Amino acid sequence: MKILVCISNVPDTTTKVKFKEDNTLFDDSGVQWIINPWDELALTRALELKEDAGNSVDEVCVIHVGGTQTDATLRKALAIGADKAIRIDGYPADAYYVAGQIAAYLKENPFDIVFSGIESSDYNGSSVGAMIAEFMDYSGVSSVSQVNIDKDELILYRAIPGGKQKIKTEVPLVAVVQKGIATEPRIPSMRGIMMARKKPLEVKAAVEMEILTKSVKFDLPETKGACKMIDSEHVEQLVELLKNEAKVL
Amino acid sequence: MSVIAFAKNWNGKFKNSTYELVSYTKNLADQLNTKLIVVSIGEVNNDDLKNLGKYGAERIISVNDPKMNILTSQVYAQVISEIAKMEGASAIVLSDNESGKAIAPRLSVKMKAGMASAVLELPISLNPFVVKKSTFSGKAFGHVQIDSPVKIISIAKNCFGLVENQVDVLIEEFSPHLDASLFKIQVLEEEKQTNKVDLADADIVVSAGRGMRSPDNWGVVEDLAEELGAATACSRPVSDEGWRGHEEHVGQTGKVIAPNLYFAAGISGAIQHVAGISRSKCIVAINTDPEAPIFGVADYGIIGDVMEVLPKLTEAIRNSK
Ligand SMILES: Cc1cc2nc3c(=O)[nH]c(=O)nc-3n(C[C@H](O)[C@H](O)[C@H](O)COP(=O)(O)OP(=O)(O)OC[C@H]3O[C@@H](n4cnc5c(N)ncnc54)[C@H](O)[C@@H]3O)c2cc1C
């Protein structure tokens, strides 16, 4: 079995976001780029599955739609342990475009399982994974918090309101994964970094694809008023404020 | 022409977020000068369906089929798109929850319709169609323009509220023709947290972090939550350490919530934590460190030890009732 992990290249989570050109474009000057946190966890779980002798996963590849400047992120994925990285050379304008590009690659190069993170921490679209499933006419499961493969049988857990469901399904499948899928992301080892240099990073031209949405403007949230401090000896004042001022009790 | 709201039920019941969805979509349909159609899939009894009329659902198309009680995104997207085509829908609105996240993107591809998720209010403009959503994990808002003829949006919880608009309800049954091979998901087991307030729906959340020092200290958090009828939550290190279950973890990589009142006890307020709670109406922070960043986002703060402050707070709330 082969697993393909979709990788999004996002600003480091501590980035202070700024916009330029009259708030129409994200200002990426000085931004540190990382693998999207959920994608990093998905890659970690895919590698754990490959190492587990109880199933037949023998290859884990990563795929990304973006320009040359994202190669460092893909090299990191290779250093963590992916066997191969594929970069579709296109501008990831919206989720539909990104999913369409990945689906076009999948049609030529089939995989059994595709992992995608539940959202990317920049545009928070929550859509690429399930879109790929539809483009491919694959079965899809979202909000997946655990993936196990028992020989060739897929056992997943997915979140439902107030709980979770254990489900059985079959390949080919797109699993959109969220928290719980792996605990800690893997950190590349020195050996991994050395080996990554020799691993293939395949660059493919983008296919013709429509773009259906665009981000036309950004606003920053209004700054909050000062926090009202209450003496720890007089917590009843807090209760009074929550009732009569904030009106939330 | 029409606008469609997809009303997902869980075990045959609707939640407040469904009523909010109907309220929102009714308003959108009025703005677009068109009719609202609510689509329900899976077994729901007629009284529950009729309840949607309180929020403006005049026409409900119900696919009342036990085979469809299990969410299979492929099947649901197929059914909704079939109805949308039949009814000439110009927009489809879903809730931004587990089911919306699974279905909306599939609908987008099926119908070649642009989508925006976790939308925060009614459209900023209808022509062009522009909606506002949270981006950069709550650090900014983005205005997304959808250029396709059909628009798909999922709305964030508590973005609109419940707006009553009682109408007479017409329920129509619909049986789509579905290939048996589409039903590829089999549920083996369901684990539900009973007798606990569901975090995603809670109006009040009592959350605690590493400042609690030990999982053994959580009694004071639970006491406060119980007094308030609140859900409990935690920061990421707490769930990573196994002090609390993963389902309680809020933040950028955990659940994103929007309660009316959020208590952060012994939580530093790291940017990734705040990403999950910044849409709370009111935030109360309790922390020993006056420099903790949580005070920068809180509305009310108490400098003090959680083990002393929380029990006092529980008592003060009890006394105020
Ligand atoms: C990619 C990425 C994603 C992340 N996603 C999330 C996420 O989704 N959610 C999340 O929460 N974190 C997330 N984090 C982690 C985040 O950066 C912080 O490490 C985390 O939120 C800190 O948790 P904490 O506030 O409980 O612990 P700490 O940082 O240890 O802070 C504990 C706080 O408690 C206070 N305190 C200590 N003792 C007491 C006492 N007796 N009484 C009162 N106060 C006391 C301290 O002053 C301190 O402010 C993420 C990090 C990364 C890199």
Side-chain angles (χ1 to χ4, degrees), chain B residues 209-264:
Chain B
R210 204 148 51 180
M212 298 300 300
R213 293 185 300 257
S214 153
D216 305 333
N217 291 337
W218 241 263
V220 291
V221 176
E222 276 164 355
D223 289 348
L224 176 59
E226 183 163 351
E227 191 59 46
L228 290 164
T232 50
C234 69
S235 67
R236 175 168 165 177
V238 164
S239 70
D240 282 357
E241 294 284 329
W243 292 4
R244 303 292 287 183
H246 277 292
E247 65 289 345
E248 287 202 353
H249 155 201
V250 295
Q252 187 187 311
T253 45
K255 284 202 172 101
V256 176
I257 53 172
N260 283 332
L261 177 55
Y262 182 80
F263 287 90

Side-chain angles (χ1 to χ4, degrees), chain A residues 13-14 34 37 40, chain B residues 208-213 234-238 249-255 265-274 276 286-290 292-294 304-307:
Chain A
T13 48
T14 56
I34 59 164
E40 204 177 14
Chain B
R210 204 148 51 180
M212 298 300 300
R213 293 185 300 257
C234 69
S235 67
R236 175 168 165 177
V238 164
H249 155 201
V250 295
Q252 187 187 311
T253 45
K255 284 202 172 101
I267 291 180
S268 60
I271 197 158
Q272 297 92 348
H273 185 80
V274 173
I286 302 137
N287 202 304
T288 42
D289 175 9
I294 191 74
D305 190 318
V306 280
M307 295 310 288

